[in-house]
């Protein structure tokens, strides 16, 4: 079914949109098509009493004179999957684009609040199959452009709807709740087996919580960014009457005051500057120079009379929402800033985490109030790392996994850069004829593949391995880890986005038989350490010693799917640190030993049916004495193919024989590397710095000839 409507068009090139066909009680239908910030093209909202087709058909709109012709693109959307290092567009848009597009969005049309969908010009805008709906609820500005930094990535995995509240709209908070609730129930009725995401920024956070409280039976994931539930405790309370009573002649100063209160201009200006450990000061300076003049536009976004109304709206929103927190049953992810000058967001995060039964807090100590518009905050990365992305009622570590994007890969390289530089990891692999070569040419290109190897102290070998497989083979290695890493701490508190969260972004998942089954079924690359925590937290003098259980179950599972097993050894931990305080030493320390014993007893236990050192999977943090860094070396052995051997490996003895062969290959690989590294003139970091330019990529730094 096609819809034709008349609207005024400002330089409108072909773009994509979604019919905002949420009928209000008046029977009017609000339609809005918004282009990317790069073209700043807008179609004014139009209303139509004509018949409309399917609510969520993705459409192509083409400008013909003053008409907008809606063309059905549903058949053009092909099912797809995200490939590793996909382009998520992060850094291509910034606050400058927000302010430029806002000039068109704020033009008064006399219309009520409505929904719109951010769109792309290139037509590549189809989300993944069965993607859930994400409804963005804006803050004080009401524009609905708060996801401008994130919209390209979010559109790939969500059906994105943004709420727009016109500048001169005076809809009371309770009516806004009803409006959002009506849309939510419609979405839920259309896709009852999918969750609905409510992303609320500041005032929108109150709106999201209020809607969640009134709809406890709908499967919701609520994401809050510095919610305004603490507005009654704002540090700006003494000056709010001054802002409201400011003379008209000084209205132009309000936007500058608000901009520095609501966010960090430096972080906003850093968004599209090149990511590097050394800031691009020239780019940052240019961004600031171009950003500051645009701030005057805030006086049009929030004029004096609108500011007065919004402050009253915030007060009523906070009171209404706080009185209904007890009714919120939804899954909640709360993003809190440590330098929020508008709201006491840090304290509020602690309060909400105590009052909401299913709430996880992610704390950003160096960010301001407008968190989603600041550099270093990638909303989709946070959703992935906190395991909040799902297409059904429960998160599936394999089916719901989204591979890392190019921006996430670059961010990981930057964050891990010092470690990569210090250890300069070298990868070797073994070809089918037994020849050892530098690089990963000997590792199969297609899955299912199971990498089985030695777990260094603290798992130090993990990051270089995963990043190198991405760089050289464009392959995600799904690390199978201890389940304790995926369970929320009982002492939730304010937790920053951590290395463990980043591990989940790059493929880590808990060790379970069902996850093994799903990985092999999907022809994935899996990484297994049979030695587990005992190997990664070994004692003094136990480096490069394997602690494998006497159970060849992973061999039989691999054979069932015809997976290729690649044994590998990794060395270098003894070249970067000396273990001076191990588990045995810690357990001799009074008080601390009781704490560790109690903590491990309360945690998830593995291998409880085993005996001896293999069964000791207790966690502790070892005491290390750093050394002048050496180098990490990896050797991937000759691939062992199990395809066609399933029946033979069903026999336990045959499976055990292959298991022991794999274990022996891992030990031989480590022995080979320990011997050959003595011939590496670039083993020490000092020699590498003296003889190689610092800009040399780590995979190009010379090493011994295999």
């Amino acid at each position: 079914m096609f819809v034709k409507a008349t609207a005024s068009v400002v330089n409108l090139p072909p773009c994509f949109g979604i019919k905002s066909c949420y009928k209000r009680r008046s029977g009017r239908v609000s339609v809005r098509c918004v282009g990317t910030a790069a073209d700043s093209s807008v179609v004014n909202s139009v209303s139509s009493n004509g018949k409309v087709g399917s609510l969520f058909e993705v459409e192509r709109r083409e400008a013909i004179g003053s008409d907008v012709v809606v063309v059905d693109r549903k058949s053009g959307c092909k099912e797809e999957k995200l490939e590793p290092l996909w382009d998520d567009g992060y850094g291509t848009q910034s606050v400058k684009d927000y302010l430029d597009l806002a000039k068109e969005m704020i033009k008064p049309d006399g219309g009520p609040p409505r929904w719109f969908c951010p769109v792309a010009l290139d037509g590549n805008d189809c989300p993944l199959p069965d993607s859930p709906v994400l409804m963005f609820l804006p803050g004080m500005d009401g524009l609905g452009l708060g996801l401008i930094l994130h919209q390209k990535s979010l559109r790939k995995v969500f059906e994105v709807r943004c709420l727009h509240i016109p500048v001169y709209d005076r809809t009371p908070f309770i009516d806004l709740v009803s409006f959002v609730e009506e849309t939510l129930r419609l979405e839920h009725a259309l896709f009852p087996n999918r969750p609905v995401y409510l992303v609320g920024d500041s005032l929108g956070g109150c709106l999201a919580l209020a809607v969640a409280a009134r709809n406890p039976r709908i499967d919701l994931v609520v994401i809050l960014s510095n919610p305004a539930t603490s507005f009654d405790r704002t540090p700006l309370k003494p000056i709010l009457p001054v802002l409201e009573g400011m003379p008209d002649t000084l209205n132009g100063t309000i936007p500058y005051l608000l901009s520095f209160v609501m966010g960090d201009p430096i972080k906003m200006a850093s968004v599209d500057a090149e990511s590097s450990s050394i800031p691009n000061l020239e780019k940052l300076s240019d961004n600031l120079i171009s950003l500051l003049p645009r701030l005057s536009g805030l006086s049009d976004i929030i004029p004096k009379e609108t500011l007065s109304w919004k402050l009253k709206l915030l007060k009523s929103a906070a009171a209404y929402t706080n009185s209904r927190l007890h009714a919120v049953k939804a899954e909640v992810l709360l993003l809190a800033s440590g330098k929020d000058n508008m709201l006491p967001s840090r304290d509020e995060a602690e309060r909400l985490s105590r009052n909401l039964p299913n709430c996880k807090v992610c704390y950003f100590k160096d960010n301001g109030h407008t968190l989603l518009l600041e550099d270093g905050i990638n909303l989709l990365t946070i959703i992935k790392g906190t395991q909040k992305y799902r297409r059904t009622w429960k998160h599936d570590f394999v089916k719901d996994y989204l591979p890392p994007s190019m921006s996430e890969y670059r961010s990981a390289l930057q964050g891990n850069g010092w470690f990569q530089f210090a250890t300069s990891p070298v990868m070797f692999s073994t070809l089918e004829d037994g020849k050892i070569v530098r690089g990963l040419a000997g590792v199969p290109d297609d899955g299912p593949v199971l990498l089985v190897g030695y777990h260094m102290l603290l798992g130090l070998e993990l990051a270089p391995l995963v990043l190198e497989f991405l760089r050289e083979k464009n392959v995600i290695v799904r690390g199978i880890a201890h389940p304790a890493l995926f369970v929320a701490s009982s002492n939730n508190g304010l937790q920053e986005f951590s290395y463990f969260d980043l591990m989940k972004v790059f493929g880590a998942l808990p060790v379970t038989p069902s996850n093994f089954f799903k990985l092999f079924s999907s022809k994935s690359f899996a990484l297994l350490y049979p030695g587990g925590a005992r190997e990664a937290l070994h004692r003094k003098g136990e480096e490069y010693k394997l602690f494998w259980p006497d159970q060849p179950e992973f061999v039989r599972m691999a054979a069932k799917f015809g997976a290729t097993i690649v044994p590998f050894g990794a060395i270098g931990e003894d070249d970067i640190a000396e273990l001076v305080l191990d588990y045995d030493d810690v357990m001799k320390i009074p008080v601390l030993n009781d704490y560790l014993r109690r903590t491990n007893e309360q945690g998830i236990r593995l291998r409880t049916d085993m005996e001896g050192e293999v069964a000791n999977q207790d966690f502790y943090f070892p005491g290390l004495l750093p050394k002048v860094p050496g180098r990490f070396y990896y050797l991937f052995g000759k691939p062992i193919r199990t395809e066609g051997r399933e029946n033979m490996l069903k026999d336990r003895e045959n499976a055990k024989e292959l298991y022991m062969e794999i274990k022996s290959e891992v030990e031989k690989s480590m022995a080979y590397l320990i011997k050959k590294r003595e011939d590496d003139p670039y083993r020490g970091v000092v020699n590498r710095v003296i003889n190689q330019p610092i800009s040399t990529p780590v995979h190009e730094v010379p090493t011994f000839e295999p």
Side-chain angles (χ1 to χ4, degrees), residues 480-501:
I480 301 171
H482 197 290
L485 300 178
F486 303 87
V487 177
S489 171
S490 56
N491 182 22
N492 201 8
L494 299 179
Q495 299 179 357
E496 297 185 44
F497 194 82
S498 68
Y499 173 75
F500 296 112
D501 295 319

Side-chain angles (χ1 to χ4, degrees), residues 450 452 511 513 516 528-532 547-558 565 606-612 614-615 617 649-663:
L450 179 63
V452 183
V511 55
F516 261 115
L528 177 67
Y529 295 106
F547 289 89
W548 290 20
D550 193 22
Q551 294 182 359
E553 294 308 315
F554 74 80
V555 172
R556 301 168 75 182
M557 177 72 82
I565 300 174
L606 296 180
R607 299 179 177 174
T608 54
D609 57 338
M610 300 181 187
E611 297 180 354
V614 171
Q617 297 285 306
L649 293 175
K650 284 181 179 179
D651 181 80
R652 183 170 292 274
E653 290 302 317
N654 290 335
K656 187 172 183 179
E657 182 179 341
L658 181 57
Y659 178 82
M660 297 307 295
E661 178 187 339
I662 295 167
K663 183 178 180 181

Side-chain angles (χ1 to χ4, degrees), residues 504-555:
K504 299 163 193 173
V505 173
F506 281 82
L509 73 170
V511 55
T512 65
S514 63
N515 282 341
F516 261 115
F517 183 92
K518 292 173 185 176
L519 285 175
F520 289 144
S521 297
S522 59
K523 300 186 182 302
S524 301
F525 278 61
L527 173 62
L528 177 67
Y529 295 106
R534 178 61 181 86
E535 206 165 85
L537 297 172
H538 60 68
R539 319 302 187 242
K540 286 180 282 190
E542 293 179 347
E543 59 270 11
Y544 311 132
K545 180 180 179 180
L546 302 184
F547 289 89
W548 290 20
D550 193 22
Q551 294 182 359
E553 294 308 315
F554 74 80
V555 172

